[in-house]
Amino acid sequence: MSDKPAEDSSSTPEVPDEVWEQFVRANETAAPKEPSARARMVTERLRQQEARGELPEGWRTGPKRQGKTRGRGVWTALGVLLAVAVAVVAIKPSLLPGDPFGAGSADEATETLPAETAAPTGPPASAAPRTPTLDDPFAGSPAKRWADGQAGIVVPEAKAVGGRSKADVASALELTRKLLIDANLDPATLRGERPETALDVLEPHQDVPGFLKKALSKPDKKHDPLVMFSRFDPDEVRLVGDVVKTRGRMTFKAGEGAAVAVHADYTFVYPVVRTDGTTDVARTIVRRVLDLELSDPAKYQVTPGKIGVVKYDQDIGNSACDVYDGFLHPHFPSAESTGATPTGPTTDPYDRSRDISDDKGCGTVSRT
């Protein structure tokens, strides 16, 4: 028998259950090892409490407040969505209804419209009313999103038609484009100078070139160059900047007698200011509809490289009525009207869906 006295269990300090519970929780994921009898007893008691739904707060399921976590997640998600919405509106405030920040309506976006490929079914939507200025001469106008000058005259892809080759069709289209540019966009023509390039592409065997030359030399009511050319009196007004807005389309088909028939329908918007030093800006809008033909030289007496005019119509918005000096005379809000009192109907000069061949008399415009 050993002389070593037996260990008195009463001298071992009692460990509270709460301490053992903490010990078990802390070591639950530790490397496996043989638990003590005390540990096994506490663990078994905790498992029994779990089975009865009596787990202490924080055991596996976490605190009772856990049920609110989903609510916090929802609010977090809503906060993220709100932040995204604020960022989008900051980039494009016009998306908000009612335009609360005064940024202008959505139709005053600056992106250029795609080329017109078919006849519009109605007038363009109205932009937010704004006064044109020297820095922004197209403010408040649908033309602000139209193409600049020559970029708006898009020639369709040429194809052989009616017995004429693809090259013949391409020639007819290019002659039409050259006529439109020189007659309506060339700075010299707009300053009232003689549009030599436009005159040069016209078929000389027709009466049209002779008529236009006389109209340019001695304009009157019966010989008005404005039926084909856009011209301003350089002593009266000048263009604001160097941009004329353009929108329209060009098509072709087989004409009679193996001709290539070209149809052109374009609207030009001219911002101008008076030369007397005032700064208020006016806009004159001119729409031209032309039917041209490139006839077969094997069947008709025509000149190679020239195109004939079959029909021409024009609609001029914001220019003095019954003034036949060969120039457009815009009306400015700060000045008294010149010319005769308009007798025709009120029309929208931006409405490219209407047939201008039926227009009678010099009328007024609903907007410029």
Side-chain angles (χ1 to χ4, degrees):
M1 174 179 285
S2 173
D3 295 331
K4 185 177 181 179
E7 182 175 338
D8 186 0
S9 61
S10 63
S11 64
T12 303
E14 182 69 17
V15 180
D17 289 348
E18 291 79 14
V19 177
W20 278 107
E21 289 176 1
Q22 293 178 4
F23 173 81
V24 172
R25 294 168 193 158
N27 291 276
E28 191 176 27
T29 59
K33 61 182 179 179
E34 184 66 23
S36 66
R38 179 74 173 183
R40 288 195 301 270
M41 180 185 69
V42 174
T43 300
E44 180 60 26
R45 181 166 60 82
L46 290 173
R47 287 174 180 171
Q48 291 175 3
Q49 287 180 318
E50 182 179 18
R52 295 193 302 269
E54 300 175 354
L55 284 177
E57 188 174 276
W59 173 251
R60 297 198 182 188
T61 60
K64 294 179 181 179
R65 296 188 304 271
Q66 186 177 8
K68 298 181 181 179
T69 302
R70 183 181 177 186
R72 289 198 302 271
V74 171
W75 283 109
T76 301
L78 289 176
V80 172
L81 291 176
L82 180 60
V84 172
V86 170
V88 171
V89 171
I91 295 173
K92 194 168 185 179
S94 60
L95 293 175
L96 283 178
D99 190 23
F101 302 118
S105 64
D107 28 73
E108 287 220 56
T110 57
E111 299 87 354
T112 302
L113 292 173
E116 186 177 283
T117 57
T121 58
S126 296
R130 294 180 60 196
T131 301
T133 64
L134 296 177
D135 293 329
D136 192 0
F138 297 102
S141 166
K144 185 163 186 173
R145 298 185 62 195
W146 292 7
D148 293 353
Q150 300 183 26
I153 303 180
V154 180
V155 176
E157 181 182 358
K159 297 179 181 178
V161 62
R164 303 301 297 274
S165 68
K166 178 180 178 181
D168 290 336
V169 174
S171 177
L173 296 174
E174 185 55 36
L175 288 170
T176 301
R177 185 173 187 271
K178 189 178 294 186
L179 171 63
L180 289 168
I181 291 174
D182 195 56
N184 302 281
L185 296 172
D186 185 83
T189 300
L190 299 181
R191 291 193 302 267
E193 298 180 19
R194 191 179 179 90
E196 295 292 354
T197 300
L199 293 170
D200 186 59
V201 303
L202 299 178
E203 173 55 59
H205 288 95
Q206 281 190 323
D207 294 333
V208 175
F211 165 81
L212 291 173
K213 289 176 182 178
K214 183 176 181 179
L216 289 165
S217 301
K218 296 181 179 181
D220 57 34
K221 186 174 182 179
K222 293 184 178 180
H223 302 85
D224 189 355
L226 298 181
V227 298
M228 188 71 71
F229 309 121
S230 295
R231 310 169 75 239
F232 296 91
D233 185 347
D235 293 330
E236 179 184 340
V237 299
R238 62 176 176 82
L239 282 177
V240 178
D242 55 3
V243 173
V244 173
K245 289 293 186 176
T246 307
R247 186 156 184 80
R249 64 191 182 281
M250 189 186 306
T251 58
F252 66 90
K253 63 180 182 179
E256 296 181 4
V260 179
V262 180
H263 180 76
D265 183 344
Y266 287 88
T267 301
F268 305 91
V269 183
Y270 305 95
V272 293
V273 66
R274 287 176 291 182
T275 55
D276 61 2
T278 56
T279 58
D280 54 329
V281 177
R283 290 187 290 252
T284 292
I285 302 96
V286 179
R287 181 180 172 192
R288 301 197 184 278
V289 180
L290 302 175
D291 287 304
L292 310 170
E293 278 191 349
L294 186 68
S295 299
D296 186 353
K299 297 183 178 182
Y300 299 93
Q301 185 179 359
V302 293
T303 307
K306 309 295 182 182
I307 196 165
V309 179
V310 178
K311 183 180 179 182
Y312 51 85
D313 286 306
Q314 71 284 333
D315 181 63
I316 299 175
N318 191 28
S319 183
C321 294
D322 299 339
V323 177
Y324 301 103
D325 60 357
F327 297 116
L328 297 164
H329 296 279
H331 168 66
F332 292 83
S334 61
E336 294 184 2
S337 299
T338 59
T341 301
T343 58
T346 298
T347 57
D348 182 355
Y350 292 101
D351 184 2
R352 295 186 35 76
S353 66
R354 61 189 184 87
D355 185 356
I356 63 173
S357 63
D358 295 333
D359 289 353
K360 304 296 181 182
C362 178
T364 57
V365 291
S366 60
R367 55 178 171 173
T368 62

